[in-house]
Amino acid sequence: MTTVLEAAGISIPEQVQGKSFWSLLTGKPYQPNKAVFAEKTYHNSYDPMRAIRTEHFKLIFNFESTHGVQVPGDVAKSLSSSKMLPELFAPIKPFMELYDLKLDPWESKNLAQEPEYETIKQELAGRLYQWMADTQDPL
């Protein structure tokens, strides 16, 4: 939204979050984000998740115990859903997921319980909770 507003020459309201990519798109100096924050609360059902992603790591909090894959109703009725059956019955998602994106770009090994990643996990969790507080996240 911020990029579209800046491109249209409209001032970005103070309460609007986000960073405009307009300078990047127009070849001007651009400072990339050091982290990207994400949230999902509801899609097909209540499934609150919050995440922080840096260049090296991704930390995800799953605030509800649900299966590994939540399939929206329109997809569940499609022909492709039968190909997804193993994923539909995947184990319950853990509360916390941590991935080393450089060593494991496909996010196949959850490192959240590995002692050698405790410092990274705590640092990312602190940043994520601070972002949640800053954005007045109801969770």
Side-chain angles (χ1 to χ4, degrees):
M1 178 177 165
T2 54
T3 303
V4 173
L5 289 174
E6 186 174 354
I10 299 170
S11 296
I12 299 168
E14 188 176 309
Q15 72 274 17
V16 172
Q17 293 189 9
K19 180 178 178 179
S20 173
F21 294 105
W22 188 244
S23 60
L24 177 66
L25 295 173
T26 56
K28 296 178 183 159
Y30 174 75
Q31 182 67 35
N33 292 323
K34 294 183 186 207
V36 176
F37 297 91
E39 70 176 77
K40 177 181 91 166
T41 301
Y42 193 95
H43 182 69
N44 203 50
S45 62
Y46 184 68
D47 185 22
M49 301 167 68
R50 302 295 184 265
I52 178 173
R53 184 192 189 283
T54 65
E55 187 175 351
H56 198 145
F57 293 98
K58 182 192 288 184
L59 179 73
I60 305 167
F61 283 122
N62 299 296
F63 289 99
E64 286 285 317
S65 295
T66 60
H67 288 284
V69 176
Q70 294 289 311
V71 180
D74 56 339
V75 174
K77 295 176 184 176
S78 72
L79 295 174
S80 62
S81 66
S82 64
K83 304 292 183 196
M84 300 172 59
L85 287 177
E87 288 83 7
L88 296 179
F89 298 105
I92 301 297
K93 291 187 290 188
F95 172 70
M96 186 183 301
E97 299 174 69
L98 175 67
Y99 300 101
D100 183 325
L101 301 174
K102 293 198 187 248
L103 297 176
D104 180 18
W106 295 103
E107 302 174 21
S108 59
K109 173 99 170 98
N110 182 1
L111 304 169
Q113 302 305 315
E114 302 294 330
E116 61 267 28
Y117 288 91
E118 186 64 28
T119 301
I120 292 164
K121 182 173 72 173
Q122 292 300 321
E123 188 261 328
L124 292 174
R127 290 171 67 187
L128 181 56
Y129 277 123
Q130 184 61 56
W131 174 75
M132 291 172 68
D134 292 347
T135 61
Q136 300 175 6
D137 189 324
L139 294 179

